[in-house]
Amino acid sequence: ERALQVANFILETKYSIRETANEFNMKKSTVHRDVTEILSRINPKLTSDVHCVLTSHLDDWSHKGGIATKLKREKQRKEIMG
């Protein structure tokens, strides 16, 4: 089944929803539905494992956003100070 293929692919590659959707030529919403709703009915343990991978992407994304904001503020301070 497609949901199992997508889930195993995410676990093997650690790809995000977007990257996985591109690989499978699918919409992001379809990939998301497959690894949440459909997969949870088929294999709850696998759903949990995939969720951990995807959650790590959110944590990375949040961290990168914080770094970008910090750099932006430092640049603004330097421009103001001269």
Side-chain angles (χ1 to χ4, degrees):
E1 187 152 326
R2 184 182 69 199
L4 291 171
Q5 284 182 312
V6 169
N8 286 319
F9 179 80
I10 290 172
L11 290 177
E12 290 171 14
T13 62
K14 309 294 187 223
Y15 274 18
S16 67
I17 294 279
R18 180 183 304 253
E19 292 167 321
T20 303
N22 287 336
E23 281 293 316
F24 282 82
N25 199 27
M26 298 164 56
K27 292 182 179 182
K28 292 183 297 181
S29 59
T30 304
V31 171
H32 188 268
R33 188 187 74 237
D34 281 357
V35 298
T36 55
E37 297 172 22
I38 296 171
L39 190 61
S40 65
R41 286 182 261 149
I42 300 170
N43 189 333
K45 168 72 171 109
L46 190 57
T47 304
S48 176
D49 294 344
V50 170
H51 179 74
C52 288
V53 171
L54 298 177
T55 301
S56 74
H57 289 298
L58 288 176
D59 293 342
D60 291 346
W61 180 65
S62 177
H63 180 71
K64 288 177 185 175
I67 292 171
T69 301
K70 179 182 175 185
L71 294 174
K72 177 182 171 184
R73 299 287 185 247
E74 288 174 356
K75 181 180 176 186
Q76 288 173 340
R77 275 190 225 109
K78 286 179 184 175
E79 289 173 356
I80 292 172
M81 297 291 206

